[in-house]
């Protein structure tokens, strides 16, 4: 029996994780579920899955959640804030932590789980983008097992040799004969559009992803291709390769989730229907396989698979991420923070879609880069980029 904490249980990944776990009640149990604003949903999840603990952002919300839980006849204990998150991520009774909080808010609780040596199912790509070096070092030191949930990274992981260790920090790609990682991207809802055509698209248009159903932040990132940029940096850290070894491939059907090219000319790809329950089930059961509730792929129904190069002019966010990956140091932390602020401003309808890349670009141009030597330094860079981009948004609004 694996006892599991889900950080971000009320989100898209959290809900899919509970769905897979619910199919195998003899294998997986819920230790704790965390949420932020959707308290009713969290209360129902706790009651349904018998969570021992629930965590929310603040004391007032915790009191409200407690009321809801008791009215459902549910004894789940409620904690709150950063300390609450760290506690349920690192408790002795926990075997596995699903890290599915969106954005920089996921970093500290995920690191708490890493430091406690838990098995980590990593959906929160932003924590690797922000603090990849420190994060991977913490995984090595604690001996945590790290498994990627992001569908592309999970696909690449499945196509790597069995003795490829994600966390030993020794450049293994060359020795393993890996010549390239092919990172799939659907292209999002605006594939084939020009920058001018995209300038005024609404948040609902941007969030209407053709193949995947996801939270709003990652949906906007998919529409700007910043999601692929963040994933590029995520892949560099996870697989210990340079950005020059990673090629983004636009593949509109989202069937080939990514691939690994080897020196003998072989390309190993992982395929499946676009449903996050597949990578979640893979990581939960690894190295075994379990039913994920996902329909089997019907190649006859799909008929065709297409591949194109990304248009970096129309989607400047991807180029900005390539540049930040090459610069290293604090550049990816700045990129991630400025993007989070800009995407929120876009979702709040304060800026236009086309201005997201402008804000990230300006932040990266104006702030100076250094090497982050501690978690405090990373958080300092994150705050610096947030303040700068927020002020810049106010400036362009007026
Ligand atoms: P979502 O918006 O649906 O859910 C986010 C979760 O995080 C919610 O449970 C919310 O309560 C919690 N949360 C938000 N802000 C918080 C805060 N400040 N403090 C504590 N908790 C907070 O997002 P999602 O689509 O499930 O994505 C979650 C993560 O997984 C993201 O990092 C995303 O990039 C990654 N991911 C998602 C998908 C997908 O298909 N949805 C695929 C690959 C990777
Ligand atoms: Mg992905």
């Amino acid at each position: 029996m694996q006892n599991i904490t889900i950080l971000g249980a009320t989100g898209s990944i959290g809900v899919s994780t509970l769905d897979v776990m619910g199919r195998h009640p003899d294998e997986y149990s819920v230790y704790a579920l965390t949420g932020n604003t959707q308290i009713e949903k969290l209360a129902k999840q706790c009651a349904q899955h018998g969570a021992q603990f629930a965590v929310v952002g603040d004391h007032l919300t915790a009191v409200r959640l407690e009321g809801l839980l008791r009215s459902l006849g549910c004894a789940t204990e409620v904690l709150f804030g950063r300390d609450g998150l760290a506690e349920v991520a690192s408790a002795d009774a926990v075997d596995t932590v699903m890290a599915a909080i969106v954005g920089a808010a996921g970093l500290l609780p995920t690191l708490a789980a890493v430091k406690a040596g838990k098995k980590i199912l990593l959906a929160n790509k932003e924590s690797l983008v922000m603090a990849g070096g420190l994060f991977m070092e913490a995984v090595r030191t604690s001996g945590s097992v790290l498994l990627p949930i992001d569908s592309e990274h999970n696909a690449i992981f499945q196509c790597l040799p069995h003795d490829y260790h994600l966390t030993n920090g020794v450049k293994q790609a060359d020795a393993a004969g890996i010549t390239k990682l092919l990172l799939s991207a659907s292209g999002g809802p605006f594939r084939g559009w020009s920058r001018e055509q995209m300038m005024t698209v609404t948040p609902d248009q941007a969030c209407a992803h053709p193949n995947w159903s996801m939270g709003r932040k990652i949906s906007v990132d998919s529409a700007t291709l910043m999601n692929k940029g963040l994933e590029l940096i995520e892949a560099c850290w996870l697989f210990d390769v340079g950005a020059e070894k990673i090629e983004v491939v636009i593949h509109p059907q989202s069937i080939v989730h990514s691939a690994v090219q080897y020196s003998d000319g072989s390309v190993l790809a992982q395929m499946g229907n676009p449903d996050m329950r597949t990578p979640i089930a893979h990581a939960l059961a690894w190295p075994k396989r379990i039913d994920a509730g996902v329909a089997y792929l019907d190649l006859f129904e799909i008929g065709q698979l297409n591949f194109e190069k990304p248009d970096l002019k129309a989607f400047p966010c991807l180029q900005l991420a390539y540049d930040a990956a090459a610069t290293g140091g604090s550049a990816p932390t700045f990129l991630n923070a400025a993007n989070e602020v800009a995407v929120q401003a876009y979702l709040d309808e304060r800026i236009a879609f086309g201005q997201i890349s402008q804000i990230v670009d300006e932040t990266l141009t104006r702030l100076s880069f250094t090497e982050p030597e501690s978690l405090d330094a990373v958080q300092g860079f994150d705050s610096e980029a947030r303040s700068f981009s927020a002020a810049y948004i106010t400036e362009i609004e007026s």
Side-chain angles (χ1 to χ4, degrees):
M1 187 67 113
Q2 266 185 69
N3 209 10
I4 300 180
T5 284
I6 305 180
L7 302 171
T10 51
S12 163
I13 293 288
V15 167
S16 293
T17 305
L18 286 171
D19 181 278
V20 177
M21 288 172 64
R23 290 166 193 276
H24 308 276
D26 300 338
E27 306 270 345
Y28 309 106
S29 58
V30 171
Y31 178 74
L33 301 177
T34 87
N36 200 31
T37 50
Q38 295 173 272
I39 303 307
E40 283 82 11
K41 186 170 180 178
L42 184 59
K44 279 192 198 135
Q45 290 179 327
C46 289
Q48 190 182 343
H49 296 272
Q52 280 175 260
F53 291 92
V55 186
V56 289
D58 53 50
H59 183 246
L60 203 65
T61 315
V63 172
R64 277 183 47 216
L65 176 64
E66 232 158 31
L68 287 170
L69 285 164
R70 300 307 167 250
S71 71
L72 293 170
C74 175
T76 304
E77 201 174 310
V78 182
L79 309 175
F80 63 91
R82 273 186 186 188
D83 292 347
L85 287 174
E87 197 171 323
V88 297
S90 61
D92 285 344
V94 175
D95 303 299
T96 300
V97 174
M98 165 57 83
I101 289 177
V102 61
L107 177 64
L108 290 181
T110 307
L111 268 180
V114 168
K115 287 181 181 151
K118 304 303 179 193
K119 173 172 153 186
I120 311 290
L121 313 188
L122 186 69
N124 175 246
K125 64 192 85 184
E126 293 92 342
S127 54
L128 270 186
V129 175
M130 270 178 90
L134 294 165
F135 189 102
M136 294 306 281
E137 186 52 42
V139 176
R140 280 192 284 279
T141 309
S142 72
S144 258
V145 172
L146 180 63
L147 296 164
I149 294 297
D150 217 339
S151 58
E152 298 76 6
H153 306 73
N154 184 272
I156 290 169
F157 179 71
Q158 294 196 45
C159 299
L160 290 174
H162 288 298
D163 59 356
Y164 198 94
H165 292 290
L166 292 196
T167 51
N168 73 3
V170 178
K171 295 270 175 221
Q172 306 163 84
D174 291 340
I178 294 167
T179 45
K180 211 188 255 184
L181 302 181
L182 298 160
L183 192 66
S184 293
S186 70
F190 309 129
R191 182 177 59 87
W193 291 35
S194 70
R195 201 159 151 62
E196 291 66 41
Q197 281 174 303
M198 275 181 263
M199 205 59 200
T200 55
V201 292
T202 66
D204 283 343
Q205 278 176 292
C207 289
H209 198 280
N211 307 336
W212 298 96
S213 145
M214 309 180 285
R216 280 173 85 77
K217 191 261 176 181
I218 182 177
S219 295
V220 174
D221 286 348
S222 299
T224 60
L225 288 200
M226 181 58 96
N227 183 49
K228 217 43 58 181
L230 300 177
E231 290 184 357
L232 169 90
I233 300 169
E234 181 187 13
C236 290
W237 288 114
L238 278 176
F239 307 118
D240 203 15
V241 299
E244 72 291 344
K245 268 207 169 172
I246 304 176
E247 179 157 28
V248 172
V249 180
I250 304 288
H251 166 46
Q253 293 90 355
S254 296
I255 296 297
V256 174
H257 297 309
S258 279
V260 180
Q261 176 187 284
Y262 288 92
S263 50
D264 61 2
S266 299
V267 174
L268 302 191
Q270 186 264 0
M271 297 195 283
N273 284 319
D275 187 321
M276 288 308 291
R277 290 177 300 173
T278 294
I280 290 167
H282 170 265
L284 272 174
W286 181 85
K288 289 196 303 177
R289 298 274 179 178
I290 54 169
D291 171 33
V294 177
Y296 294 136
L297 185 61
D298 183 343
L299 285 174
F300 301 110
E301 194 182 310
I302 289 152
Q304 271 196 5
L305 299 175
N306 300 84
F307 305 96
E308 341 168 330
K309 279 191 190 290
D311 179 349
L312 294 173
K313 286 221 162 56
F315 297 95
C317 283
L318 181 55
Q319 183 64 55
L320 290 170
Y322 264 111
D323 296 346
T327 307
S330 51
T333 317
F334 291 155
L335 174 94
N336 181 64
N339 180 59
E340 265 187 59
V341 172
V343 169
Q344 192 56 55
Y346 171 64
L347 287 170
D348 295 341
E349 301 190 39
R350 294 176 56 203
I351 60 166
F353 184 80
Q355 287 176 310
I356 296 173
S357 61
Q358 181 192 333
I359 289 153
V360 177
D361 194 357
E362 185 71 11
T363 307
L364 285 165
T365 308
R366 297 278 291 279
L367 301 187
S368 45
F369 306 122
T370 24
E371 207 55 51
E373 269 150 19
S374 65
L375 195 57
D376 284 347
V378 168
Q379 288 183 302
F381 297 142
D382 179 72
S383 310
E384 192 186 349
R386 277 170 204 275
S387 313
F388 180 87
S389 48
Y392 183 61
I393 289 168
T394 310
E395 194 183 309
I396 57 179
E397 259 184 328
S398 56

